[in-house]
Amino acid sequence: MKSPKPRNYRPSTSIRGSSIPPPEIRHKRSQSKVFRTLQLSQSAANAATSKYNSTMSDYRYREDVTDGYLSLHYALPKTVFIAGVRADNVNYTSWSPTSSNGIASSNFARRNGSYINPLPSFDIVHHFPMSINLHASYSRSIGRPTPSNIAQAEKMTCGSSDETSIATCTISMGNPNLRPRKAHNFDVALDKFFDHDNGVLSATFFSKIISDDIYNQTSIYSQDGEIYESTTPMNATSSILRGVEFSALDRSIAVLGQVFDLSVNATWMQGHMHYYENGVLMRTNHLIYQPDVLVNRAVT
């Protein structure tokens, strides 16, 4: 006579003393192994991407600058003339990382460049009665590119979390052929001195005509079914910036036995830039990083 089986009885599934888990337990273990395998694969991929980006960001840049300046002054009883010229000579070398088929190399691509620019300037200061001065000036200036603008290698990032971008991958790179921005600067200022020349009220009109201004050009294209967004620093065709600045300064503000300098200025600016995109001349009504209004105040 067989004894009755208890409730929830499960027959033994042992073979030679080794217990065989039920099917649902085997399924859970299989899922866990797949999950751990995926985690390890993602971790290895993230580590490889991090190493690649770190290697491709390791550029080097050397810049040697030599300047010389000559100035001539000529003074009349009420007017002063100042003429000068500065020679700006630059030699630079960049070392950019290289890659092949998405694999970073230990080799660097070396590029050399140089340029020399004569930078003249001319100032006139006329002294009117009642401590009023009229100051007019012209100067030529340059703005050199940052090292990353020239030496940064191509760097690709895929799977961005930016939901506003339609691109699958973003690419950023430097431009070894980038030229320095050059500007013709015109300024006219009217200054009124007061408080025994410790204070001054000033109104200035300025205009800058800029060539080879530097901006980041972004292009979107499709390749092998993927959408790429590429960003590269480029030289614009021409830019103009004009504005008016009002300022006040007083170096004799006495409070509790202490003397403070009080200054405040407000600037209004307007500019535009021309540049080429896909062979078409474009215009934007702002310069890079240019605000419309700028206000500063300080107490020292």
Side-chain angles (χ1 to χ4, degrees):
M1 179 177 177
K2 296 182 179 179
S3 59
K5 298 179 177 62
R7 183 177 297 178
N8 299 329
Y9 169 77
R10 185 187 301 273
S12 173
T13 54
S14 63
I15 299 177
R16 295 186 180 180
S18 299
S19 177
I20 299 177
E24 62 271 17
I25 298 179
R26 293 201 300 270
H27 181 63
K28 290 179 180 179
R29 290 181 180 176
S30 177
Q31 284 184 327
S32 177
K33 183 181 293 185
V34 171
F35 180 70
R36 286 197 300 270
T37 302
L38 288 174
Q39 279 187 319
L40 291 174
S41 299
Q42 291 175 351
S43 178
N46 291 338
T49 301
S50 176
K51 181 179 179 181
Y52 173 84
N53 289 335
S54 177
T55 301
M56 298 306 291
S57 299
D58 188 23
Y59 62 82
R60 287 178 285 172
Y61 183 83
R62 175 177 174 175
E63 187 175 84
D64 298 315
V65 180
T66 306
D67 281 348
Y69 185 76
L70 175 66
S71 178
L72 299 175
H73 295 239
Y74 182 74
L76 296 174
K78 295 291 185 179
T79 308
V80 177
F81 301 89
I82 305 172
V85 62
R86 180 167 66 94
D88 186 87
N89 180 66
V90 176
N91 293 277
Y92 66 88
T93 303
S94 66
W95 293 266
S96 301
T98 59
S99 64
S100 178
N101 297 324
I103 300 176
S105 169
S106 59
N107 298 322
F108 285 79
R110 175 173 173 167
R111 297 180 178 89
N112 299 314
S114 63
Y115 50 85
I116 182 169
N117 291 282
L119 306 173
S121 63
F122 186 71
D123 293 78
I124 302 176
V125 180
H126 184 76
H127 303 285
F128 289 96
M130 302 178 61
S131 300
I132 296 176
N133 289 347
L134 178 64
H135 181 198
S137 67
Y138 161 78
S139 65
R140 179 88 160 138
S141 61
I142 66 167
R144 289 187 285 273
T146 62
S148 61
N149 285 155
I150 293 177
Q152 179 180 317
E154 179 180 307
K155 187 166 62 173
M156 181 185 298
T157 303
C158 297
S160 172
S161 59
D162 185 2
E163 297 180 356
T164 63
S165 176
I166 63 172
T168 307
C169 299
T170 59
I171 301 173
S172 61
M173 68 187 78
N175 182 357
N177 299 315
L178 207 61
R179 298 181 298 275
R181 56 172 63 89
K182 307 177 186 70
H184 295 277
N185 309 292
F186 301 89
D187 299 86
V188 178
L190 189 64
D191 303 323
K192 165 61 178 174
F193 292 88
F194 62 92
D195 195 11
H196 306 288
D197 290 343
N198 288 314
V200 59
L201 297 174
S202 180
T204 304
F205 168 79
F206 60 87
S207 177
K208 299 178 182 294
I209 303 174
I210 307 169
S211 61
D212 292 330
D213 201 3
I214 297 173
Y215 71 103
N216 287 325
Q217 184 182 78
T218 299
S219 58
I220 298 177
Y221 61 94
S222 177
Q223 180 178 325
D224 300 329
E226 302 287 350
I227 299 177
Y228 294 87
E229 181 179 284
S230 176
T231 302
T232 308
M234 299 291 290
N235 287 114
T237 304
S238 62
S239 305
I240 292 179
L241 179 67
R242 296 190 179 99
V244 179
E245 180 183 15
F246 299 95
S247 63
L249 170 67
D250 195 340
R251 299 181 181 275
S252 61
I253 303 297
V255 178
L256 301 177
Q258 299 292 324
V259 178
F260 295 90
D261 293 348
L262 175 64
S263 64
V264 60
N265 67 70
T267 306
W268 173 82
M269 290 174 281
Q270 186 180 52
H272 64 264
M273 180 175 70
H274 291 97
Y275 63 97
Y276 278 97
E277 184 172 327
N278 298 324
V280 179
L281 184 63
M282 310 291 288
R283 172 182 167 130
T284 177
N285 291 325
H286 272 81
L287 271 64
I288 303 297
Y289 310 123
Q290 174 232 313
D292 291 327
V293 177
L294 188 64
V295 178
N296 292 301
R297 57 185 182 273
V299 177
T300 55

